[in-house]
Amino acid sequence: MTSETYPVDATNRVKRRHDRGRYDHATVHALLDAAALCHVAYVVDGQPYCTPTLFWREGTHLYWHGSSASRMLRNQSDGQPACLTVTHLDSLVLARCGFNHSADYRSVMAFGRARLVEEPGETARALTMMVDRFFPGRTATLRPSTGQEIKATAVVVMEIERASAKIRAKGVADDEEDYALPIYAERLPMRTLIGAPEPCPRLAGDVARPENLAAYREGRALEDALADAYRTAYP
Amino acid sequence: MTSETYPVDATNRVKRRHDRGRYDHATVHALLDAAALCHVAYVVDGQPYCTPTLFWREGTHLYWHGSSASRMLRNQSDGQPACLTVTHLDSLVLARCGFNHSADYRSVMAFGRARLVEEPGETARALTMMVDRFFPGRTATLRPSTGQEIKATAVVVMEIERASAKIRAKGVADDEEDYALPIYAERLPMRTLIGAPEPCPRLAGDVARPENLAAYREGRALEDALADAYRTAYP
């Protein structure tokens, strides 16, 4: 844990419901590390794009990847401003009036300038962590990457210059005078769960599921498995 | 179902893995209607923002909301270019080499110009559907909105000018010569499930859960409940 905090300015200050805003590294990083999927906003010729992608964090840097042919990378290689957002939707909230209908959620918006990773050593390390951050130790068990594969994979890095976390976790919150009304209200929770792993039907001989995948087991919350894997990959 | 298709140009053409791209209304709309959460990309002074929000569709229009104080709305009210994206993450894919690690997913990127809804009748209808799209018929059972609440709620609308869906649903796909290697590979499925509904602890008297919430039951996939609710709300 750290007591460090991301700087706050007009870009990342949580304005609406500012009581829900958090800027400390511990909160921001924990929400990022519990996710595999993010959405990245970037701009090309004035047109915003919102692209879903897998990502991971290393210190105050965020990494994601794609083909060097991709629109996003072609335009971010020189350090384009970007915003990477992660959202955990925890519930839908049914209140006693339309206005108080809401959702519980935990989200992070991270701002910085995205650039293509170009230093060969940094690329090689990033390609390893792209797998090992999710499945610690896995790269060492795989068929090594070919030069062509490495060349075809582009890695983007963005230092987090500013970030904010926003959390709502209070369920139903009605106006005091509305609680007496004969209206049904509830919190409808939801969670992303891991299903039964589906081994490749073409596994060779007696290849078994490795022990280091134990964090990913049926019925477990994906975010818990991801957070565990993160702690193993970056102890 | 419809055979209509969104126009394709440089903005929305799926370039990387173009075989995964779809542009027909039926595919695009079904993926949107199975989601409650989206991420919207927009630009303020050259800085991209990626904001998570609840949203819904009406024909070829997308709606989302927020306080009139919000950064996003203040800057999109005059018709700002935006991109609204929905992603269903279906699996993580563990392959026999780093390069073939992947994920199964179904995503939609919708492009258009977002503007504030200002016509009073349109606002009133949008405020009803903001609740009833998720919980059909619910608004009629609620304490009516006050003038102040309506004033404090801003609704944004964006006509979908271009859109693309991108779908990967093939699990492990290794290079042919790698299947013989003694390396474990699997598809790790995941799904967002509804938990046990949590009635408000302050329910008045003998208020029961209404029948019209039956689509939202414990253990069901959230996307299935949302799609059902959508079909009831917009038959």
Side-chain angles (χ1 to χ4, degrees), chain A:
Chain A
M1 290 304 230
T2 168
S3 61
E4 286 184 277
T5 293
Y6 284 105
V8 180
D9 70 4
T11 305
N12 66 319
R13 179 174 288 116
V14 173
K15 294 188 187 68
R16 172 160 157 72
R17 307 282 185 152
H18 56 84
D19 55 302
R20 298 181 188 167
R22 306 274 287 277
Y23 307 93
D24 59 289
H25 284 200
T27 301
V28 168
H29 294 175
L31 292 177
L32 291 170
D33 301 341
L37 177 75
C38 71
H39 287 77
V40 182
Y42 60 101
V43 192
V44 180
D45 299 331
Q47 171 67 55
Y49 289 82
C50 182
T51 301
T53 188
L54 302 182
F55 81 104
W56 75 103
R57 178 182 72 87
E58 206 167 278
T60 56
H61 288 79
L62 298 172
Y63 291 85
W64 63 96
H65 76 297
S67 149
S68 51
S70 94
R71 186 164 40 204
M72 174 168 67
L73 299 181
R74 222 174 39 230
N75 290 282
Q76 292 187 333
S77 56
D78 57 340
Q80 281 246 346
C83 174
L84 183 151
T85 298
V86 160
T87 307
H88 304 275
L89 179 63
D90 293 325
S91 80
L92 295 176
V93 171
L94 291 78
R96 292 167 177 82
C97 67
F99 191 74
N100 287 330
H101 276 65
S102 188
D104 288 325
Y105 60 89
R106 293 161 291 142
S107 66
V108 164
M109 293 173 73
F111 300 88
R113 297 183 72 84
R115 66 172 176 83
L116 209 56
V117 171
E118 291 181 290
E119 200 273 309
E122 197 185 350
T123 306
R125 200 173 49 77
L127 288 176
T128 298
M129 295 315 299
M130 189 180 291
V131 170
D132 285 9
R133 169 270 175 271
F134 296 105
F135 312 111
R138 183 162 175 80
T139 297
T141 71
L142 299 176
R143 187 263 289 154
S145 294
T146 65
Q148 198 179 344
E149 286 172 345
I150 293 172
K151 220 167 141 179
T153 310
V155 180
V156 184
V157 62
M158 181 180 87
E159 178 166 13
I160 307 175
E161 296 169 8
R162 287 178 290 278
S164 58
K166 199 170 172 185
I167 299 173
R168 185 197 195 274
K170 61 181 176 183
V172 177
D174 265 311
D175 295 0
E176 191 51 42
E177 60 270 28
D178 289 346
Y179 284 102
L181 298 172
I183 299 172
Y184 182 79
E186 75 177 17
R187 177 180 186 274
L188 187 66
M190 55 209 52
R191 203 136 205 235
T192 300
L193 300 182
I194 297 169
E198 301 164 6
C200 176
R202 296 180 63 184
L203 284 182
D206 57 352
V207 174
R209 193 172 199 249
E211 272 303 314
N212 61 10
L213 294 179
Y216 296 92
R217 58 178 181 270
E218 183 176 3
R220 194 173 189 213
L222 175 64
E223 66 171 286
D224 294 341
L226 289 170
D228 271 9
Y230 190 88
R231 282 186 290 266
T232 305
Y234 290 103

Side-chain angles (χ1 to χ4, degrees), chain B residues 79-92:
Chain B
Q80 282 247 346
C83 173
L84 183 152
T85 298
V86 160
T87 307
H88 304 275
L89 179 64
D90 293 324
S91 80
L92 295 176

